[in-house]
Amino acid sequence: GHTKTVTCLCWSPHDPELLVSGDISGRLFQWTLAEDQGESGSLLGEHEGRSIVHADWDPIRTPYVAIADTHGLVSVWVVSNGSSGRAAADQERGAEATKRSLFTRNEKFTYKKDRKSSTSANNRATVLRWNPKQVGMLLVGHLDGSWIMWDDNDRKQWCKPQYATGEAAKSEIVDMAWDPLGANCMVAAYACGVTVMWDVETSSQLSTFQKQPLGIRGMAWLPWAPGLFMTVNNSNCVAKLWNVSQREPLETVRLGGTGVAMS
């Protein structure tokens, strides 16, 4: 298993017993809860020795997982054999090559926002979100406040970096979520406390919601209530309920005595 600090976890949306984890050294592991692995996961590979900061599993294509590291590199990893591959690893648990064959990295899937300055901290991807309704479309949010769409079908960047207007223009994107009602709309939450709804297809801002003075830690749509989403911060443990048609929050809820986070 990991010998360094674990920096991200990502559950498979296709298999509730399958988990991928990354650590500060750039190592990736796969864990299958149904298998008696003890403290040893299957080593998938290394992300060039760079700390992994985010991961997102494609909700449509079973074997695809997007990984982002601290140097601004975003890669898509591909599970080669699925459950049959894990069974093979059970039979040859001691063979490192067999474990790695479960998860192979294809360099053609590698994306950098800016190849000339890919090691710049401002270019680092902070959020990855696969589109749940359009195959192979990956939304990437950055530390400098921009986002882009990566078309994994054609291996190309679908649009130039998009920045919000006003105070959020250079503020870090801390979270993003696709609108469950449509394939082209998403909400981006910025560290400065601003939340913006975007039409990704036209790269246009649809709505800018009231600023939250203590910033935003995360946001999520309410699956049982169309058009509603919540935001939280990690300062005073307050959650706000929003409707996409209104600039001000519908309700403010105190959840406890310490900060909270969403993932």
Side-chain angles (χ1 to χ4, degrees):
H2 294 284
T3 58
K4 302 292 184 179
T5 303
V6 175
T7 52
C8 75
L9 300 172
C10 186
W11 290 96
S12 168
H14 312 284
D15 184 347
E17 296 181 339
L18 187 59
L19 171 71
V20 166
S21 61
D23 65 27
I24 198 171
S25 69
R27 303 180 81 197
L28 292 169
F29 282 85
Q30 172 182 291
W31 307 83
T32 306
L33 302 186
E35 300 173 0
D36 185 14
Q37 292 177 303
E39 297 181 356
S40 298
S42 299
L43 178 64
L44 308 178
E46 296 190 20
H47 213 244
E48 300 183 2
R50 299 166 178 174
S51 177
I52 297 170
V53 295
H54 198 76
D56 195 48
W57 208 303
D58 192 328
I60 300 177
R61 302 177 301 170
T62 303
Y64 290 81
V65 182
I67 303 291
D69 68 25
T70 51
H71 285 226
L73 182 69
V74 176
S75 298
V76 177
W77 294 63
V78 184
V79 178
S80 58
N81 293 317
S83 59
S84 61
R86 292 196 297 275
D90 278 340
Q91 298 174 6
E92 301 182 46
R93 182 63 63 184
E96 193 70 22
T98 301
K99 292 180 183 179
R100 288 181 179 176
S101 69
L102 301 179
F103 219 76
T104 57
R105 181 182 175 192
N106 187 331
E107 291 294 341
K108 290 188 295 184
F109 291 100
T110 300
Y111 149 78
K112 289 183 181 178
K113 182 190 170 193
D114 184 350
R115 293 186 179 276
K116 293 183 180 179
S117 56
S118 61
T119 58
S120 170
N122 288 336
N123 290 331
R124 177 167 67 83
T126 53
V127 184
L128 305 174
R129 291 286 183 258
W130 290 103
N131 191 314
K133 296 184 178 181
Q134 292 186 347
V135 177
M137 304 301 286
L138 177 65
L139 196 61
V140 183
H142 299 101
L143 190 64
D144 67 355
S146 67
W147 61 264
I148 66 99
M149 177 71 77
W150 174 252
D151 185 348
D152 201 41
N153 303 295
D154 296 329
R155 322 286 199 269
K156 67 180 182 180
Q157 188 171 315
W158 189 73
C159 65
K160 65 180 183 179
Q162 299 296 315
Y163 293 87
T165 58
E167 190 172 353
K170 296 297 181 181
S171 180
E172 173 189 353
I173 294 180
V174 295
D175 205 356
M176 298 185 296
W178 289 98
D179 184 347
L181 294 180
N184 298 315
C185 293
M186 66 89 173
V187 169
Y190 298 81
C192 66
V194 173
T195 311
V196 177
M197 188 169 189
W198 290 85
D199 183 324
V200 175
E201 186 175 24
T202 61
S203 300
S204 58
Q205 292 182 221
L206 300 178
S207 303
T208 300
F209 301 92
Q210 186 182 72
K211 180 182 178 181
Q212 301 172 66
L214 295 178
I216 301 174
R217 178 64 180 87
M219 59 85 54
W221 292 94
L222 274 59
W224 60 87
L228 299 184
F229 66 92
M230 296 195 74
T231 59
V232 296
N233 65 56
N234 56 0
S235 299
N236 62 358
C237 200
V238 167
K240 293 181 181 291
L241 176 66
W242 306 80
N243 187 299
V244 294
S245 63
Q246 300 181 30
R247 184 176 180 273
E248 298 180 352
L250 296 176
E251 190 172 354
T252 299
V253 181
R254 181 170 291 278
L255 302 176
T258 58
V260 294
M262 290 181 175
S263 60

